[in-house]
Amino acid sequence: MRADIQEILLDEEALEKRVSELGAKISEEYDGMNPILIGILKGSGIFLSDLMRKITIPMEIDFLKASSYGSSAQSSGVVQLENDLSVDVRGRTIILVEDIVDTGNTLKYLLERFASLGAVEVKVCSLLNKAGRREQNVVADYIGFEIPDAFVVGYGLDFAQKYRNLPYIGILKKEIYQYRPKK
Ligand code: 5GP
């Protein structure tokens, strides 16, 4: 798998340090609020499991599955909800945990949905942000790292379901995929 990676962007040490910082910040800012961390599967699975162990206040978790990529490296722009929540979010404080915000289509869809379900407050914690590719006017409240316009895999992020188990985040070699940077 390593041979498919053009460059390691974020190694294990950098990821651990930043995830610890985010956990400390959330613990401080949400003290007494019992937030629900909602992981957007499958990409945010590793991030959420590491992040929650750095959070020192009472909290809950849930998951939903949304996709806009299909099996290609180019977002389809159409967000689909494949699995929904198992908890009632009415009156609750929510932190959406994303692997990456790219075009912003997924986030826009989810923020509108949670507002309509009656959540009191919805904040977003995304490990990665590709600000240069935004199509929607959405921002994450907590961001792990700003990254360039490249297709990345590892630490939960996939290409055609592979590479999620890499312990680092790396740029996938161009010959492995057909990715068109945004003009
Ligand atoms: P958006 O709706 O913001 O365009 O995309 C959000 C989703 O697209 C992310 O949760 C992620 O699953 C996928 N995505 C966006 N950029 C990348 C990338 O560089 N690598 C991988 N593996 N997935 C990406």
Side-chain angles (χ1 to χ4, degrees):
M1 273 196 302
R2 178 67 182 85
D4 296 350
I5 303 299
Q6 177 192 310
E7 181 193 333
I8 295 179
L9 266 189
L10 301 163
D11 63 17
E12 287 180 73
E13 200 184 328
L15 288 166
E16 213 222 305
K17 181 169 178 284
R18 188 68 186 125
V19 172
S20 297
E21 288 169 3
L22 290 172
K25 203 157 192 251
I26 288 171
S27 305
E28 198 183 302
E29 293 180 9
Y30 285 83
D31 196 10
M33 295 166 82
N34 189 28
I36 313 178
L37 265 66
I38 295 179
I40 316 303
L41 294 172
K42 300 174 192 172
S44 74
I46 296 182
F47 175 42
L48 186 135
S49 71
D50 282 350
L51 178 67
M52 68 186 282
R53 283 175 289 173
K54 302 292 180 189
I55 295 179
T56 54
I57 55 166
M59 49 149 284
E60 298 170 29
I61 57 166
D62 201 6
F63 296 94
L64 59 76
K65 191 155 183 269
S67 65
S68 67
Y69 259 51
S71 60
S72 81
Q74 192 70 25
S75 173
S76 67
V78 180
V79 181
Q80 286 176 318
L81 199 60
E82 295 176 18
N83 287 96
D84 209 345
L85 296 175
S86 63
V87 293
D88 185 356
V89 298
R90 254 175 306 176
R92 299 295 305 265
T93 299
I94 286 174
I95 305 174
L96 282 179
V97 180
E98 263 283 26
D99 51 358
I100 183 166
V101 184
D102 182 23
T103 62
N105 288 321
T106 308
L107 201 52
K108 180 165 185 277
Y109 171 85
L110 292 174
L111 287 171
E112 282 171 3
R113 190 151 187 282
F114 282 109
S116 72
L117 289 174
V120 169
E121 181 190 273
V122 187
K123 292 260 168 92
V124 179
C125 177
S126 182
L127 178 67
L128 307 175
N129 189 39
K130 270 197 244 176
R133 286 177 45 90
R134 206 64 101 244
E135 289 173 7
Q136 306 290 346
N137 186 20
V138 289
V139 282
D141 305 277
Y142 303 93
I143 292 171
F145 302 91
E146 296 287 345
I147 64 162
D149 183 2
F151 192 78
V152 295
V153 293
Y155 196 70
L157 289 116
D158 75 311
F159 173 61
Q161 300 304 325
K162 295 198 182 70
Y163 308 100
R164 293 192 198 277
N165 54 324
L166 292 174
Y168 51 79
I169 289 176
I171 298 177
L172 195 61
K173 279 186 181 163
K174 287 222 169 61
E175 56 263 39
I176 311 289
Y177 67 102
Q178 299 298 315
Y179 179 70
R180 295 181 299 278
K182 212 170 164 226
K183 298 244 161 56

